[in-house]
Amino acid sequence: MRKFIEDYPEDVARQVEIARRAGTTENGIFATKLHTQHLDRLLQADRLTTAFPKPAFVRLSRRDRLGQAISAVRAYQTHAFHAHWDKSAAECYDAQAIHHMLKNLIQLSTRWTLYFSRNGIEPLQLYYEDLQQDPRGSLLKIAQHVGVELESGHPHLQAPPLAVQRDAVSLDWRARFVSELGDLDIFE
């Protein structure tokens, strides 16, 4: 956040205030992207239901976990976490880093599965690949999930397509990784 807000506070309650102010639309709906480490940090300082009463959950996952791991490794190496950010460092293929990231992403996903299951929550399940193919349809599903009706001409329904960072380098890294670490005789 300090990339966007120079004096971003350490205090979680103040961070929640900023998030709520920035993430609330005119109709009073607040939305945020919440990774497991964000929820961990929030729960150390406050109760989720105090910070965000009556939350509705949308679970955004990727079907292509290896592709997600490759993208994450490249983003961490280059410090370019969004397609419109310039790369500030070089990237270098690293099979072990990809393997570690793949395992980490799957573990983090499992934490969400446990959290939702333990609380009897059925989140709206969306997949990145579907969002990429049909952003309008995905937005309509989210609106329905949170009880908001969107008019067909609503500006958010005219959103530009997602910018994808995946490219020929990603495809090359995938092929190298599968050729080096792929082994049907190892069950990890």
Side-chain angles (χ1 to χ4, degrees):
M1 286 304 299
R2 284 180 183 80
K3 187 172 181 94
F4 305 107
I5 303 171
E6 187 176 313
D7 59 344
Y8 191 69
E10 286 294 325
D11 179 64
V12 173
R14 291 191 48 226
Q15 292 174 0
V16 169
E17 288 173 25
I18 291 169
R20 190 174 282 121
R21 210 173 31 249
T24 302
T25 56
E26 297 115 23
N27 62 1
I29 300 290
F30 169 78
T32 188
K33 183 177 182 179
L34 193 64
H35 291 279
T36 55
Q37 68 269 22
H38 302 143
L39 187 54
D40 288 337
R41 185 159 161 74
L42 174 64
L43 292 175
Q44 289 174 0
D46 204 347
R47 296 176 54 84
L48 175 70
T49 53
T50 300
F52 307 110
K54 300 180 186 173
F57 293 93
V58 176
R59 185 175 189 180
L60 182 62
S61 304
R62 276 189 65 173
R63 288 187 183 99
D64 179 8
R65 298 293 183 147
L66 178 54
Q68 182 182 12
I70 290 168
S71 293
V73 168
R74 291 181 71 193
Y76 277 105
Q77 287 180 353
T78 63
H79 311 287
F81 291 91
H82 299 278
H84 59 277
W85 288 10
D86 292 331
K87 294 178 179 181
S88 63
E91 58 193 359
C92 178
Y93 173 79
D94 182 340
Q96 292 308 312
I98 295 168
H99 188 242
H100 176 75
M101 183 63 71
L102 181 60
K103 290 186 343 184
N104 186 47
L105 290 169
I106 291 168
Q107 289 170 342
L108 293 174
S109 178
T110 300
R111 284 190 71 199
W112 280 115
T113 300
L114 176 61
Y115 178 81
F116 292 136
S117 297
R118 185 175 46 79
N119 288 290
I121 296 170
E122 280 291 328
L124 171 62
Q125 177 66 63
L126 295 178
Y127 291 95
Y128 168 80
E129 293 85 353
D130 299 335
L131 177 63
Q132 182 185 3
Q133 290 285 326
D134 183 16
R136 184 179 192 280
S138 297
L139 184 57
L140 287 170
K141 287 177 185 177
I142 294 168
Q144 182 180 19
H145 183 67
V146 299
V148 172
E149 191 171 323
L150 293 178
E151 302 290 327
S152 61
H154 193 282
H156 288 103
L157 293 176
Q158 312 309 320
L162 295 174
V164 177
Q165 291 180 275
R166 179 178 52 254
D167 58 15
V169 172
S170 301
L171 297 175
D172 177 56
W173 285 22
R174 172 188 292 276
R176 286 180 66 183
F177 179 85
V178 170
S179 114
E180 292 172 18
L181 272 73
D183 188 337
L184 294 176
D185 293 321
I186 296 175
F187 189 70
E188 187 174 355

